[in-house]
Amino acid sequence: MNKVFDVSRTGNPFVDQGLYCISYLVAKRLEDLTQEDFRNVLDKYNIAFLNKNLKSFTMVFGTNNPLYQNAYKPNNEKIYTSYLLELIDGISTSGYDYCEICGENYDFDIDTAWQNVCQKHKLNYKERKYVGRDTFPLIGSIGNDAQALPGASKIQNVCPKCLFAVNFIPLSTSLLKGKLTCYESTSEEMLYGLISHNVKQNQARISAGEKEILGKKEGTAKIFESFLDIMRDMKDANLPDYEAVYIWNFSNSGTGADCSIIEIPNRSLKFLCKLSRKSEELKREFLNLMQNDKGNRLLDALLESKDSSLLYPYKKYTGVSVHLYEIYQTEIVGRSEKALSFAKTVALELKDGKNLKEIEKLKSSDIFKGLANRNRVRKLIVEMILDGEAGFDDYAELFNPSGKYLYNPLIQDYDPIMYYIYNSEAEVKE
Ligand SMILES: [Zn+2]
């Protein structure tokens, strides 16, 4: 059958995730997809079997979906496939109904479609079927509410194309913080990359007999590994300033229906992009740090464009490599290369003329907690300026980059100096 409908991004993360998954599976651009592609993809990839065997399915649709209802055993997969085929047949470009998800007109009634399925499989048609959260994630409906607006829910108008697309979420999703993810991004290339990466990884797991999807017991690091791989392969390394990724982190199962949106801001994306194109060793170092960070402190710092104590020396740990530290500082925290270079000079000056024992004494993550050492550094900088070894602009760059009048340096402004006390090579006095 020829193309009789338009497919484009809807702006709804659930539908777009499904559509991009289909687009990857049939190796066609989103706007070129046809009803025939929808039929082929069901058959070629045995979607009913896959969804029955993916643990993510019930997190997307709960257990009221025909694929999981006990009463339909052992024909769940056949009944579910018939339901999906009814959706495909119901796709049209005109009609009096208006889809609240994609904004297009349509002519389809889920109850009529369900009656057809019942007739085909000689099932007992019990009551009128509505679009609910067993057919579309987190949607509120009569008798089947997502606990979001219990007093104000109504039946949602959703077209069959959108209802069909969401059935590809289980294959294209991953786990983050115990919930599922759907991606949205201003960059089509990145969005397609992230979703197709998930599909590839989940397909590999299914082939290995694994029912768990990407991210299970793997932590945040696994998700960021995907980001790094995709960004390494992207054509353009210079991300525009408006580009961001939004992760819809949700669960639709049981009474725990919930959704939050995590923004990976432009600054974090640029950091990841830069990191991905450096070395495999640097990438590993960052991922290991994230993997061992059980409280997600690094993730939170990354998303809020803040510095992280995990980068810094603590007791015997000397902090991350200088390379990783400097990329993080310049891309995420916003410190300039000049500020970092001056912090290093000050650290070397502090170590100057000291023997090994004296230098070891300086190595403490708390060195600048007390006022005495902070004053000592400021005095040292004044001496450096008077001696012509530094300029006031160096001081301002490190301690007052935003140029605020009478700004008093905060304790954390001394952190780069502490870092370089550990991570700079000074001449040691015998
Ligand atoms: Zn729609």
Side-chain angles (χ1 to χ4, degrees), residues 266-300:
N266 188 265
R267 206 173 240 200
S268 309
L269 289 177
K270 282 185 171 153
F271 163 75
L272 293 169
C273 196
K274 209 162 190 180
L275 196 67
S276 72
R277 287 160 192 257
K278 293 284 176 188
S279 65
E280 187 62 21
E281 196 186 344
L282 206 61
K283 185 185 121 184
R284 276 289 130 218
E285 186 188 2
F286 172 73
L287 291 174
N288 284 342
L289 199 65
M290 206 161 225
Q291 182 81 46
N292 296 326
D293 173 26
K294 301 295 174 218
N296 285 322
R297 286 177 297 162
L298 182 62
L299 173 70
D300 292 341

PDB file of all heavy atoms in Angstrom, residues 266-300:
ATOM      1  N   ASN A 266      23.012  22.184  27.516  1.00  0.00           N
ATOM      2  CA  ASN A 266      23.962  22.407  26.431  1.00  0.00           C
ATOM      3  C   ASN A 266      25.411  22.291  26.905  1.00  0.00           C
ATOM      4  O   ASN A 266      26.247  21.661  26.263  1.00  0.00           O
ATOM      5  CB  ASN A 266      23.698  23.797  25.845  1.00  0.00           C
ATOM      6  CG  ASN A 266      24.491  24.039  24.589  1.00  0.00           C
ATOM      7  OD1 ASN A 266      25.565  24.620  24.640  1.00  0.00           O
ATOM      8  ND2 ASN A 266      24.003  23.572  23.463  1.00  0.00           N
ATOM      9  N   ARG A 267      25.692  22.869  28.065  1.00  0.00           N
ATOM     10  CA  ARG A 267      27.052  22.858  28.610  1.00  0.00           C
ATOM     11  C   ARG A 267      27.529  21.410  28.835  1.00  0.00           C
ATOM     12  O   ARG A 267      28.653  21.056  28.507  1.00  0.00           O
ATOM     13  CB  ARG A 267      27.034  23.610  29.938  1.00  0.00           C
ATOM     14  CG  ARG A 267      28.326  24.211  30.299  1.00  0.00           C
ATOM     15  CD  ARG A 267      28.153  25.078  31.528  1.00  0.00           C
ATOM     16  NE  ARG A 267      28.513  26.437  31.212  1.00  0.00           N
ATOM     17  CZ  ARG A 267      28.836  27.346  32.126  1.00  0.00           C
ATOM     18  NH1 ARG A 267      28.795  27.051  33.391  1.00  0.00           N
ATOM     19  NH2 ARG A 267      29.174  28.549  31.769  1.00  0.00           N
ATOM     20  N   SER A 268      26.634  20.570  29.406  1.00  0.00           N
ATOM     21  CA  SER A 268      26.996  19.168  29.669  1.00  0.00           C
ATOM     22  C   SER A 268      27.212  18.424  28.354  1.00  0.00           C
ATOM     23  O   SER A 268      28.113  17.588  28.244  1.00  0.00           O
ATOM     24  CB  SER A 268      25.902  18.466  30.463  1.00  0.00           C
ATOM     25  OG  SER A 268      25.574  19.217  31.591  1.00  0.00           O
ATOM     26  N   LEU A 269      26.366  18.719  27.358  1.00  0.00           N
ATOM     27  CA  LEU A 269      26.519  18.047  26.061  1.00  0.00           C
ATOM     28  C   LEU A 269      27.855  18.414  25.419  1.00  0.00           C
ATOM     29  O   LEU A 269      28.538  17.563  24.845  1.00  0.00           O
ATOM     30  CB  LEU A 269      25.370  18.425  25.123  1.00  0.00           C
ATOM     31  CG  LEU A 269      23.991  17.852  25.462  1.00  0.00           C
ATOM     32  CD1 LEU A 269      22.956  18.366  24.488  1.00  0.00           C
ATOM     33  CD2 LEU A 269      23.999  16.330  25.449  1.00  0.00           C
ATOM     34  N   LYS A 270      28.223  19.683  25.531  1.00  0.00           N
ATOM     35  CA  LYS A 270      29.494  20.116  24.942  1.00  0.00           C
ATOM     36  C   LYS A 270      30.667  19.427  25.639  1.00  0.00           C
ATOM     37  O   LYS A 270      31.646  19.049  25.003  1.00  0.00           O
ATOM     38  CB  LYS A 270      29.625  21.636  25.040  1.00  0.00           C
ATOM     39  CG  LYS A 270      28.784  22.325  23.985  1.00  0.00           C
ATOM     40  CD  LYS A 270      29.001  23.814  23.989  1.00  0.00           C
ATOM     41  CE  LYS A 270      28.317  24.412  22.765  1.00  0.00           C
ATOM     42  NZ  LYS A 270      27.911  25.784  22.970  1.00  0.00           N
ATOM     43  N   PHE A 271      30.544  19.272  26.974  1.00  0.00           N
ATOM     44  CA  PHE A 271      31.583  18.576  27.738  1.00  0.00           C
ATOM     45  C   PHE A 271      31.686  17.135  27.252  1.00  0.00           C
ATOM     46  O   PHE A 271      32.784  16.635  26.958  1.00  0.00           O
ATOM     47  CB  PHE A 271      31.226  18.625  29.235  1.00  0.00           C
ATOM     48  CG  PHE A 271      31.969  17.623  30.075  1.00  0.00           C
ATOM     49  CD1 PHE A 271      33.300  17.812  30.394  1.00  0.00           C
ATOM     50  CD2 PHE A 271      31.328  16.485  30.554  1.00  0.00           C
ATOM     51  CE1 PHE A 271      33.989  16.896  31.173  1.00  0.00           C
ATOM     52  CE2 PHE A 271      32.006  15.558  31.330  1.00  0.00           C
ATOM     53  CZ  PHE A 271      33.348  15.761  31.636  1.00  0.00           C
ATOM     54  N   LEU A 272      30.540  16.460  27.124  1.00  0.00           N
ATOM     55  CA  LEU A 272      30.543  15.057  26.688  1.00  0.00           C
ATOM     56  C   LEU A 272      31.095  14.939  25.267  1.00  0.00           C
ATOM     57  O   LEU A 272      31.827  14.008  24.946  1.00  0.00           O
ATOM     58  CB  LEU A 272      29.127  14.472  26.747  1.00  0.00           C
ATOM     59  CG  LEU A 272      28.528  14.319  28.161  1.00  0.00           C
ATOM     60  CD1 LEU A 272      27.053  14.004  28.084  1.00  0.00           C
ATOM     61  CD2 LEU A 272      29.260  13.238  28.951  1.00  0.00           C
ATOM     62  N   CYS A 273      30.733  15.903  24.442  1.00  0.00           N
ATOM     63  CA  CYS A 273      31.181  15.891  23.051  1.00  0.00           C
ATOM     64  C   CYS A 273      32.712  16.012  22.997  1.00  0.00           C
ATOM     65  O   CYS A 273      33.379  15.270  22.281  1.00  0.00           O
ATOM     66  CB  CYS A 273      30.520  17.046  22.310  1.00  0.00           C
ATOM     67  SG  CYS A 273      30.622  16.880  20.545  1.00  0.00           S
ATOM     68  N   LYS A 274      33.248  16.915  23.786  1.00  0.00           N
ATOM     69  CA  LYS A 274      34.696  17.127  23.818  1.00  0.00           C
ATOM     70  C   LYS A 274      35.397  15.861  24.351  1.00  0.00           C
ATOM     71  O   LYS A 274      36.377  15.392  23.782  1.00  0.00           O
ATOM     72  CB  LYS A 274      35.014  18.320  24.726  1.00  0.00           C
ATOM     73  CG  LYS A 274      36.254  19.048  24.326  1.00  0.00           C
ATOM     74  CD  LYS A 274      36.303  20.432  24.933  1.00  0.00           C
ATOM     75  CE  LYS A 274      37.447  21.207  24.314  1.00  0.00           C
ATOM     76  NZ  LYS A 274      37.570  22.539  24.837  1.00  0.00           N
ATOM     77  N   LEU A 275      34.826  15.319  25.425  1.00  0.00           N
ATOM     78  CA  LEU A 275      35.388  14.123  26.054  1.00  0.00           C
ATOM     79  C   LEU A 275      35.395  12.940  25.078  1.00  0.00           C
ATOM     80  O   LEU A 275      36.367  12.196  24.982  1.00  0.00           O
ATOM     81  CB  LEU A 275      34.534  13.782  27.282  1.00  0.00           C
ATOM     82  CG  LEU A 275      35.107  12.819  28.296  1.00  0.00           C
ATOM     83  CD1 LEU A 275      36.305  13.453  28.996  1.00  0.00           C
ATOM     84  CD2 LEU A 275      34.051  12.476  29.348  1.00  0.00           C
ATOM     85  N   SER A 276      34.295  12.813  24.331  1.00  0.00           N
ATOM     86  CA  SER A 276      34.141  11.663  23.432  1.00  0.00           C
ATOM     87  C   SER A 276      35.184  11.661  22.318  1.00  0.00           C
ATOM     88  O   SER A 276      35.498  10.635  21.751  1.00  0.00           O
ATOM     89  CB  SER A 276      32.741  11.648  22.827  1.00  0.00           C
ATOM     90  OG  SER A 276      32.629  12.683  21.887  1.00  0.00           O
ATOM     91  N   ARG A 277      35.699  12.851  22.002  1.00  0.00           N
ATOM     92  CA  ARG A 277      36.640  12.945  20.884  1.00  0.00           C
ATOM     93  C   ARG A 277      38.090  13.025  21.345  1.00  0.00           C
ATOM     94  O   ARG A 277      38.973  13.252  20.537  1.00  0.00           O
ATOM     95  CB  ARG A 277      36.279  14.152  20.007  1.00  0.00           C
ATOM     96  CG  ARG A 277      35.017  13.869  19.216  1.00  0.00           C
ATOM     97  CD  ARG A 277      34.349  15.127  18.727  1.00  0.00           C
ATOM     98  NE  ARG A 277      33.021  14.814  18.224  1.00  0.00           N
ATOM     99  CZ  ARG A 277      32.708  14.730  16.945  1.00  0.00           C
ATOM    100  NH1 ARG A 277      33.616  14.932  16.030  1.00  0.00           N
ATOM    101  NH2 ARG A 277      31.475  14.431  16.585  1.00  0.00           N
ATOM    102  N   LYS A 278      38.319  12.906  22.640  1.00  0.00           N
ATOM    103  CA  LYS A 278      39.706  12.898  23.140  1.00  0.00           C
ATOM    104  C   LYS A 278      40.254  11.478  23.043  1.00  0.00           C
ATOM    105  O   LYS A 278      40.507  10.992  21.977  1.00  0.00           O
ATOM    106  CB  LYS A 278      39.757  13.431  24.577  1.00  0.00           C
ATOM    107  CG  LYS A 278      39.414  14.905  24.675  1.00  0.00           C
ATOM    108  CD  LYS A 278      40.570  15.783  24.202  1.00  0.00           C
ATOM    109  CE  LYS A 278      40.148  17.260  24.235  1.00  0.00           C
ATOM    110  NZ  LYS A 278      41.140  18.129  23.627  1.00  0.00           N
ATOM    111  N   SER A 279      40.374  10.800  24.186  1.00  0.00           N
ATOM    112  CA  SER A 279      40.924   9.445  24.091  1.00  0.00           C
ATOM    113  C   SER A 279      40.015   8.455  24.791  1.00  0.00           C
ATOM    114  O   SER A 279      39.205   8.826  25.645  1.00  0.00           O
ATOM    115  CB  SER A 279      42.302   9.397  24.742  1.00  0.00           C
ATOM    116  OG  SER A 279      42.163   9.651  26.129  1.00  0.00           O
ATOM    117  N   GLU A 280      40.154   7.201  24.419  1.00  0.00           N
ATOM    118  CA  GLU A 280      39.383   6.117  25.035  1.00  0.00           C
ATOM    119  C   GLU A 280      39.689   6.062  26.537  1.00  0.00           C
ATOM    120  O   GLU A 280      38.813   5.822  27.367  1.00  0.00           O
ATOM    121  CB  GLU A 280      39.758   4.792  24.360  1.00  0.00           C
ATOM    122  CG  GLU A 280      38.936   3.599  24.758  1.00  0.00           C
ATOM    123  CD  GLU A 280      37.448   3.726  24.415  1.00  0.00           C
ATOM    124  OE1 GLU A 280      37.077   4.529  23.528  1.00  0.00           O
ATOM    125  OE2 GLU A 280      36.671   3.024  25.064  1.00  0.00           O
ATOM    126  N   GLU A 281      40.950   6.335  26.871  1.00  0.00           N
ATOM    127  CA  GLU A 281      41.395   6.288  28.270  1.00  0.00           C
ATOM    128  C   GLU A 281      40.657   7.332  29.117  1.00  0.00           C
ATOM    129  O   GLU A 281      40.202   7.040  30.224  1.00  0.00           O
ATOM    130  CB  GLU A 281      42.898   6.596  28.261  1.00  0.00           C
ATOM    131  CG  GLU A 281      43.616   6.224  29.519  1.00  0.00           C
ATOM    132  CD  GLU A 281      45.063   6.699  29.456  1.00  0.00           C
ATOM    133  OE1 GLU A 281      45.557   7.023  28.364  1.00  0.00           O
ATOM    134  OE2 GLU A 281      45.686   6.763  30.528  1.00  0.00           O
ATOM    135  N   LEU A 282      40.520   8.516  28.561  1.00  0.00           N
ATOM    136  CA  LEU A 282      39.842   9.611  29.266  1.00  0.00           C
ATOM    137  C   LEU A 282      38.356   9.297  29.445  1.00  0.00           C
ATOM    138  O   LEU A 282      37.765   9.537  30.497  1.00  0.00           O
ATOM    139  CB  LEU A 282      40.013  10.893  28.447  1.00  0.00           C
ATOM    140  CG  LEU A 282      39.957  12.201  29.202  1.00  0.00           C
ATOM    141  CD1 LEU A 282      41.059  12.267  30.226  1.00  0.00           C
ATOM    142  CD2 LEU A 282      40.063  13.367  28.234  1.00  0.00           C
ATOM    143  N   LYS A 283      37.781   8.738  28.395  1.00  0.00           N
ATOM    144  CA  LYS A 283      36.369   8.357  28.427  1.00  0.00           C
ATOM    145  C   LYS A 283      36.150   7.317  29.528  1.00  0.00           C
ATOM    146  O   LYS A 283      35.222   7.413  30.322  1.00  0.00           O
ATOM    147  CB  LYS A 283      35.999   7.787  27.049  1.00  0.00           C
ATOM    148  CG  LYS A 283      34.550   7.456  26.882  1.00  0.00           C
ATOM    149  CD  LYS A 283      34.313   6.801  25.534  1.00  0.00           C
ATOM    150  CE  LYS A 283      33.705   5.442  25.720  1.00  0.00           C
ATOM    151  NZ  LYS A 283      33.525   4.703  24.476  1.00  0.00           N
ATOM    152  N   ARG A 284      37.043   6.323  29.579  1.00  0.00           N
ATOM    153  CA  ARG A 284      36.958   5.255  30.600  1.00  0.00           C
ATOM    154  C   ARG A 284      37.068   5.835  31.998  1.00  0.00           C
ATOM    155  O   ARG A 284      36.365   5.445  32.913  1.00  0.00           O
ATOM    156  CB  ARG A 284      38.081   4.222  30.404  1.00  0.00           C
ATOM    157  CG  ARG A 284      37.826   3.150  29.420  1.00  0.00           C
ATOM    158  CD  ARG A 284      36.779   2.153  29.919  1.00  0.00           C
ATOM    159  NE  ARG A 284      35.797   1.997  28.861  1.00  0.00           N
ATOM    160  CZ  ARG A 284      34.493   1.859  29.028  1.00  0.00           C
ATOM    161  NH1 ARG A 284      33.972   1.801  30.220  1.00  0.00           N
ATOM    162  NH2 ARG A 284      33.676   1.762  28.022  1.00  0.00           N
ATOM    163  N   GLU A 285      38.012   6.772  32.147  1.00  0.00           N
ATOM    164  CA  GLU A 285      38.218   7.377  33.469  1.00  0.00           C
ATOM    165  C   GLU A 285      36.930   8.051  33.953  1.00  0.00           C
ATOM    166  O   GLU A 285      36.497   7.869  35.089  1.00  0.00           O
ATOM    167  CB  GLU A 285      39.359   8.407  33.405  1.00  0.00           C
ATOM    168  CG  GLU A 285      39.689   8.948  34.794  1.00  0.00           C
ATOM    169  CD  GLU A 285      40.686  10.114  34.778  1.00  0.00           C
ATOM    170  OE1 GLU A 285      41.108  10.534  33.690  1.00  0.00           O
ATOM    171  OE2 GLU A 285      41.007  10.591  35.873  1.00  0.00           O
ATOM    172  N   PHE A 286      36.297   8.790  33.051  1.00  0.00           N
ATOM    173  CA  PHE A 286      35.056   9.486  33.399  1.00  0.00           C
ATOM    174  C   PHE A 286      33.936   8.484  33.725  1.00  0.00           C
ATOM    175  O   PHE A 286      33.222   8.627  34.714  1.00  0.00           O
ATOM    176  CB  PHE A 286      34.638  10.403  32.236  1.00  0.00           C
ATOM    177  CG  PHE A 286      33.283  11.011  32.418  1.00  0.00           C
ATOM    178  CD1 PHE A 286      33.086  12.030  33.340  1.00  0.00           C
ATOM    179  CD2 PHE A 286      32.194  10.558  31.685  1.00  0.00           C
ATOM    180  CE1 PHE A 286      31.820  12.589  33.516  1.00  0.00           C
ATOM    181  CE2 PHE A 286      30.931  11.110  31.857  1.00  0.00           C
ATOM    182  CZ  PHE A 286      30.746  12.129  32.776  1.00  0.00           C
ATOM    183  N   LEU A 287      33.802   7.454  32.900  1.00  0.00           N
ATOM    184  CA  LEU A 287      32.734   6.464  33.117  1.00  0.00           C
ATOM    185  C   LEU A 287      32.954   5.682  34.408  1.00  0.00           C
ATOM    186  O   LEU A 287      32.002   5.383  35.124  1.00  0.00           O
ATOM    187  CB  LEU A 287      32.622   5.517  31.914  1.00  0.00           C
ATOM    188  CG  LEU A 287      32.091   6.163  30.631  1.00  0.00           C
ATOM    189  CD1 LEU A 287      32.145   5.187  29.473  1.00  0.00           C
ATOM    190  CD2 LEU A 287      30.660   6.679  30.807  1.00  0.00           C
ATOM    191  N   ASN A 288      34.216   5.354  34.714  1.00  0.00           N
ATOM    192  CA  ASN A 288      34.505   4.655  35.977  1.00  0.00           C
ATOM    193  C   ASN A 288      34.128   5.509  37.182  1.00  0.00           C
ATOM    194  O   ASN A 288      33.595   5.014  38.166  1.00  0.00           O
ATOM    195  CB  ASN A 288      35.993   4.289  36.079  1.00  0.00           C
ATOM    196  CG  ASN A 288      36.314   3.096  35.200  1.00  0.00           C
ATOM    197  OD1 ASN A 288      35.422   2.357  34.795  1.00  0.00           O
ATOM    198  ND2 ASN A 288      37.585   2.918  34.892  1.00  0.00           N
ATOM    199  N   LEU A 289      34.414   6.795  37.053  1.00  0.00           N
ATOM    200  CA  LEU A 289      34.083   7.727  38.136  1.00  0.00           C
ATOM    201  C   LEU A 289      32.563   7.728  38.355  1.00  0.00           C
ATOM    202  O   LEU A 289      32.071   7.681  39.477  1.00  0.00           O
ATOM    203  CB  LEU A 289      34.560   9.124  37.728  1.00  0.00           C
ATOM    204  CG  LEU A 289      34.750  10.172  38.805  1.00  0.00           C
ATOM    205  CD1 LEU A 289      35.863   9.755  39.749  1.00  0.00           C
ATOM    206  CD2 LEU A 289      35.082  11.524  38.182  1.00  0.00           C
ATOM    207  N   MET A 290      31.847   7.756  37.256  1.00  0.00           N
ATOM    208  CA  MET A 290      30.387   7.776  37.324  1.00  0.00           C
ATOM    209  C   MET A 290      29.853   6.440  37.854  1.00  0.00           C
ATOM    210  O   MET A 290      28.931   6.397  38.659  1.00  0.00           O
ATOM    211  CB  MET A 290      29.857   8.023  35.917  1.00  0.00           C
ATOM    212  CG  MET A 290      28.519   8.673  35.954  1.00  0.00           C
ATOM    213  SD  MET A 290      28.165   9.443  34.396  1.00  0.00           S
ATOM    214  CE  MET A 290      27.521  11.000  34.987  1.00  0.00           C
ATOM    215  N   GLN A 291      30.463   5.367  37.414  1.00  0.00           N
ATOM    216  CA  GLN A 291      30.054   4.018  37.826  1.00  0.00           C
ATOM    217  C   GLN A 291      30.192   3.841  39.348  1.00  0.00           C
ATOM    218  O   GLN A 291      29.342   3.245  39.999  1.00  0.00           O
ATOM    219  CB  GLN A 291      30.958   3.002  37.109  1.00  0.00           C
ATOM    220  CG  GLN A 291      30.641   1.546  37.390  1.00  0.00           C
ATOM    221  CD  GLN A 291      29.471   1.075  36.539  1.00  0.00           C
ATOM    222  OE1 GLN A 291      29.427   1.344  35.352  1.00  0.00           O
ATOM    223  NE2 GLN A 291      28.519   0.407  37.152  1.00  0.00           N
ATOM    224  N   ASN A 292      31.277   4.379  39.906  1.00  0.00           N
ATOM    225  CA  ASN A 292      31.526   4.210  41.347  1.00  0.00           C
ATOM    226  C   ASN A 292      30.793   5.229  42.210  1.00  0.00           C
ATOM    227  O   ASN A 292      30.864   5.175  43.426  1.00  0.00           O
ATOM    228  CB  ASN A 292      33.033   4.289  41.634  1.00  0.00           C
ATOM    229  CG  ASN A 292      33.768   3.140  40.971  1.00  0.00           C
ATOM    230  OD1 ASN A 292      33.239   2.044  40.865  1.00  0.00           O
ATOM    231  ND2 ASN A 292      34.972   3.401  40.480  1.00  0.00           N
ATOM    232  N   ASP A 293      30.109   6.145  41.562  1.00  0.00           N
ATOM    233  CA  ASP A 293      29.418   7.207  42.296  1.00  0.00           C
ATOM    234  C   ASP A 293      27.979   6.773  42.571  1.00  0.00           C
ATOM    235  O   ASP A 293      27.071   7.087  41.808  1.00  0.00           O
ATOM    236  CB  ASP A 293      29.469   8.486  41.435  1.00  0.00           C
ATOM    237  CG  ASP A 293      28.647   9.610  42.022  1.00  0.00           C
ATOM    238  OD1 ASP A 293      28.446   9.616  43.251  1.00  0.00           O
ATOM    239  OD2 ASP A 293      28.218  10.490  41.255  1.00  0.00           O
ATOM    240  N   LYS A 294      27.800   6.026  43.652  1.00  0.00           N
ATOM    241  CA  LYS A 294      26.480   5.438  43.920  1.00  0.00           C
ATOM    242  C   LYS A 294      25.402   6.482  44.206  1.00  0.00           C
ATOM    243  O   LYS A 294      24.226   6.261  43.982  1.00  0.00           O
ATOM    244  CB  LYS A 294      26.575   4.443  45.095  1.00  0.00           C
ATOM    245  CG  LYS A 294      27.554   3.306  44.858  1.00  0.00           C
ATOM    246  CD  LYS A 294      27.121   2.395  43.717  1.00  0.00           C
ATOM    247  CE  LYS A 294      28.176   1.354  43.396  1.00  0.00           C
ATOM    248  NZ  LYS A 294      28.321   1.076  41.978  1.00  0.00           N
ATOM    249  N   GLY A 295      25.801   7.612  44.743  1.00  0.00           N
ATOM    250  CA  GLY A 295      24.796   8.624  45.081  1.00  0.00           C
ATOM    251  C   GLY A 295      24.475   9.570  43.933  1.00  0.00           C
ATOM    252  O   GLY A 295      23.777  10.558  44.125  1.00  0.00           O
ATOM    253  N   ASN A 296      24.985   9.283  42.736  1.00  0.00           N
ATOM    254  CA  ASN A 296      24.768  10.131  41.555  1.00  0.00           C
ATOM    255  C   ASN A 296      25.191  11.591  41.769  1.00  0.00           C
ATOM    256  O   ASN A 296      24.590  12.506  41.215  1.00  0.00           O
ATOM    257  CB  ASN A 296      23.290  10.096  41.121  1.00  0.00           C
ATOM    258  CG  ASN A 296      22.949   8.792  40.442  1.00  0.00           C
ATOM    259  OD1 ASN A 296      23.740   8.241  39.684  1.00  0.00           O
ATOM    260  ND2 ASN A 296      21.773   8.266  40.743  1.00  0.00           N
ATOM    261  N   ARG A 297      26.218  11.807  42.612  1.00  0.00           N
ATOM    262  CA  ARG A 297      26.645  13.185  42.879  1.00  0.00           C
ATOM    263  C   ARG A 297      27.259  13.841  41.652  1.00  0.00           C
ATOM    264  O   ARG A 297      27.035  15.008  41.375  1.00  0.00           O
ATOM    265  CB  ARG A 297      27.666  13.207  44.035  1.00  0.00           C
ATOM    266  CG  ARG A 297      27.013  12.979  45.389  1.00  0.00           C
ATOM    267  CD  ARG A 297      28.065  12.939  46.472  1.00  0.00           C
ATOM    268  NE  ARG A 297      28.978  11.820  46.272  1.00  0.00           N
ATOM    269  CZ  ARG A 297      30.177  11.721  46.835  1.00  0.00           C
ATOM    270  NH1 ARG A 297      30.616  12.685  47.607  1.00  0.00           N
ATOM    271  NH2 ARG A 297      30.942  10.671  46.633  1.00  0.00           N
ATOM    272  N   LEU A 298      28.037  13.031  40.906  1.00  0.00           N
ATOM    273  CA  LEU A 298      28.672  13.578  39.710  1.00  0.00           C
ATOM    274  C   LEU A 298      27.614  13.913  38.653  1.00  0.00           C
ATOM    275  O   LEU A 298      27.678  14.948  37.991  1.00  0.00           O
ATOM    276  CB  LEU A 298      29.698  12.580  39.159  1.00  0.00           C
ATOM    277  CG  LEU A 298      30.479  13.037  37.933  1.00  0.00           C
ATOM    278  CD1 LEU A 298      31.306  14.276  38.229  1.00  0.00           C
ATOM    279  CD2 LEU A 298      31.398  11.935  37.419  1.00  0.00           C
ATOM    280  N   LEU A 299      26.621  13.034  38.549  1.00  0.00           N
ATOM    281  CA  LEU A 299      25.540  13.270  37.587  1.00  0.00           C
ATOM    282  C   LEU A 299      24.832  14.581  37.928  1.00  0.00           C
ATOM    283  O   LEU A 299      24.612  15.422  37.053  1.00  0.00           O
ATOM    284  CB  LEU A 299      24.534  12.106  37.621  1.00  0.00           C
ATOM    285  CG  LEU A 299      23.278  12.307  36.781  1.00  0.00           C
ATOM    286  CD1 LEU A 299      23.597  12.259  35.299  1.00  0.00           C
ATOM    287  CD2 LEU A 299      22.215  11.266  37.107  1.00  0.00           C
ATOM    288  N   ASP A 300      24.489  14.750  39.201  1.00  0.00           N
ATOM    289  CA  ASP A 300      23.798  15.974  39.607  1.00  0.00           C
ATOM    290  C   ASP A 300      24.647  17.209  39.319  1.00  0.00           C
ATOM    291  O   ASP A 300      24.137  18.213  38.832  1.00  0.00           O
ATOM    292  CB  ASP A 300      23.445  15.916  41.106  1.00  0.00           C
ATOM    293  CG  ASP A 300      22.379  14.856  41.376  1.00  0.00           C
ATOM    294  OD1 ASP A 300      21.697  14.459  40.415  1.00  0.00           O
ATOM    295  OD2 ASP A 300      22.243  14.417  42.536  1.00  0.00           O
TER     296      ASP A 300
END
